Amino acid sequence: MELLQQKIIDEGVVYPGKVLKVGSFLNHQIDVPFMSTLAQEFYRLYQGETVTKILTVETSGIAVAYPVAERFGVPLLFGKKSKSANLADNCYRASVVSYTHGNTYEVIIEKQFLKESDRVLLIDDFLANGCALEGLIALCEQAGAKIVGAGIVIEKAFQEGGGKIRGRGIRVESLARIADMDEKEGISFL
Amino acid sequence: MELLQQKIIDEGVVYPGKVLKVGSFLNHQIDVPFMSTLAQEFYRLYQGETVTKILTVETSGIAVAYPVAERFGVPLLFGKKSKSANLADNCYRASVVSYTHGNTYEVIIEKQFLKESDRVLLIDDFLANGCALEGLIALCEQAGAKIVGAGIVIEKAFQEGGGKIRGRGIRVESLARIADMDEKEGISFL
């Protein structure tokens, strides 16, 4: 999606260690009309599928997923991050390693909100090593829900997450795929 | 707002300690068309004001604030919760005591996204002791931004937050004000 690539080039800041900050429009300040444009593109890609629920994970996923849920006319559900092992038996839970924050957390959802009859579109802002997305997939598997696919705003295609998840036969659509980036050389896209 | 009171009665669950769970539509699963209805009401209340930015705090505030920002046609900004004292000088920060989680966290925003020229509408899902809202107010004060008012979905009016913040001369509009609640007696509204 060229409009997104241009926005990343114009407003994104690359830090050492291949960290990309897009706080001006995606994960701190939210450019709401721009989010609607991204949602329209996710809708175009997945409109042939029956989708009954949008699933994302807090925090930055929510503002991306909201207009997608609006466009599909279905509820939005977000996985909650929990530092402590949650033992409540009314929840599905999955362990996620966060390389960004150097810790492991549990992502949980209440069982009553995800059913075997659900057809789920997963939405998130970034896909890098794929751990967060694998957590959401594990939650869907526990519920027996069907995963229609995943919609990602920015994929760091030089990391293994995208390949790993596509390799499991899950459709992944990323609106921008970064081939490589560097604080001096800038960003190149696939 | 009667529609909201009915929704809280129909779907809310009261737990001991006057804890209200509204995970079916407000802070776990999100009823997106219903959020649009709430946003329309916030817009009606504040449409006479010039608003340049919507400010909320992660996590549950985001899905409430998103359609409000959409309705006003302005950016959405959310305060990030940080467990560690953040020393970066490119951020405004405020300490917030969380009685729900029994800890203290910092809420931070990057200075570049909030300016003296901004006229800010604060949005959040709950108002109880007012600590989170006071954190957002402190951030606006540090930036020198004008606070137009606050829009709250559910105010626990039996707690001191609403009175405290209105007492500072800040307009607070809550769409449902709970007079009292109890797991046996249910919920009564003001």
Side-chain angles (χ1 to χ4, degrees):
Chain A
M1 200 186 177
E2 242 181 80
L3 193 70
L4 174 60
Q5 291 187 1
Q6 196 56 50
K7 187 96 166 169
I8 294 167
I9 289 168
D10 291 344
E11 301 187 24
V13 185
V14 183
Y15 289 87
K18 299 185 191 291
V19 172
L20 174 64
K21 293 258 191 180
V22 284
S24 68
F25 67 96
L26 187 61
N27 49 24
H28 185 17
Q29 178 170 259
I30 312 294
D31 181 337
V32 170
F34 191 74
M35 289 301 112
S36 294
T37 305
L38 301 185
Q40 178 56 32
E41 181 64 5
F42 285 128
Y43 182 73
R44 190 187 67 75
L45 289 163
Y46 282 106
Q47 63 183 334
E49 300 280 353
T50 302
V51 172
T52 66
K53 200 150 280 184
I54 305 297
L55 178 62
T56 188
V57 60
E58 65 175 57
T59 302
S60 316
I62 299 172
V64 178
Y66 187 98
V68 180
E70 196 170 35
R71 196 67 192 73
F72 276 95
V74 300
L76 165 62
L77 179 64
F78 64 90
K80 299 191 174 194
K81 291 176 183 173
S82 168
K83 285 273 161 57
S84 54
N86 188 302
L87 298 173
D89 67 357
N90 65 338
C91 289
Y92 298 117
R93 45 190 175 274
S95 259
V96 176
V97 178
S98 169
Y99 291 100
T100 316
H101 298 103
N103 61 8
T104 298
Y105 62 88
E106 277 213 321
V107 57
I108 62 175
I109 52 173
E110 288 186 34
K111 289 181 181 176
Q112 60 177 318
F113 300 130
L114 194 60
K115 300 291 184 190
E116 204 175 338
S117 54
D118 274 317
R119 297 178 56 88
V120 180
L121 176 57
L122 309 171
I123 295 285
D124 211 357
D125 56 342
F126 273 94
L127 171 59
N129 56 56
C131 291
L133 199 53
E134 284 191 313
L136 295 181
I137 292 166
L139 296 174
C140 289
E141 287 173 346
Q142 288 170 44
K146 165 81 181 164
I147 297 167
V148 165
I152 303 295
V153 180
I154 302 174
E155 178 180 343
K156 291 177 167 178
F158 55 87
Q159 286 191 242
E160 73 282 13
K164 209 164 54 176
I165 291 175
R166 289 182 184 97
R168 294 176 58 175
I170 293 171
R171 181 180 172 191
V172 178
E173 299 282 357
S174 301
L175 304 187
R177 301 187 71 208
I178 297 178
D180 204 2
M181 62 180 181
D182 184 277
E183 65 273 29
K184 282 179 196 135
E185 303 294 326
I187 302 166
S188 60
F189 294 96
L190 283 184
Chain B
M1 200 185 176
E2 242 181 78
L3 193 70
L4 175 59
Q5 291 187 2
Q6 196 55 52
K7 188 97 165 166
I8 294 167
I9 289 168
D10 291 344
E11 301 186 24
V13 185
V14 182
Y15 289 88
K18 299 185 190 291
V19 172
L20 174 63
K21 293 258 191 181
V22 283
S24 68
F25 67 96
L26 187 61
N27 48 25
H28 185 17
Q29 178 170 258
I30 312 293
D31 181 336
V32 171
F34 191 73
M35 289 300 112
S36 295
T37 306
L38 301 184
Q40 178 55 33
E41 181 64 7
F42 286 128
Y43 183 74
R44 190 187 67 76
L45 290 163
Y46 282 106
Q47 64 183 332
E49 300 279 353
T50 303
V51 172
T52 66
K53 201 151 278 185
I54 305 297
L55 177 62
T56 189
V57 61
E58 65 175 56
T59 301
S60 316
I62 299 171
V64 179
Y66 186 98
V68 181
E70 195 170 36
R71 196 67 191 75
F72 275 95
V74 300
L76 165 62
L77 179 65
F78 64 89
K80 297 191 175 197
K81 292 177 183 173
S82 168
K83 284 276 161 56
S84 55
N86 187 303
L87 298 173
D89 67 357
N90 65 339
C91 289
Y92 298 117
R93 44 189 175 275
S95 259
V96 176
V97 178
S98 169
Y99 290 100
T100 315
H101 298 103
N103 62 7
T104 298
Y105 62 89
E106 277 214 320
V107 57
I108 62 175
I109 52 174
E110 288 186 32
K111 289 181 181 175
Q112 60 176 317
F113 300 129
L114 195 59
K115 300 290 183 191
E116 203 174 341
S117 55
D118 273 318
R119 296 178 56 89
V120 180
L121 176 56
L122 309 171
I123 296 285
D124 211 355
D125 55 342
F126 273 95
L127 171 59
N129 57 56
C131 291
L133 199 53
E134 283 191 313
L136 295 181
I137 292 167
L139 296 174
C140 289
E141 287 174 346
Q142 288 171 44
K146 164 82 181 163
I147 297 167
V148 165
I152 303 294
V153 180
I154 301 174
E155 179 180 342
K156 290 178 167 177
F158 55 88
Q159 286 190 244
E160 73 281 14
K164 210 164 56 176
I165 292 180
R166 289 183 184 97
R168 294 175 59 174
I170 293 171
R171 181 179 171 192
V172 178
E173 299 283 356
S174 301
L175 303 188
R177 302 186 72 209
I178 296 178
D180 204 0
M181 61 181 180
D182 185 277
E183 65 272 29
K184 282 179 197 135
E185 304 294 326
I187 303 166
S188 60
F189 295 94
L190 282 184

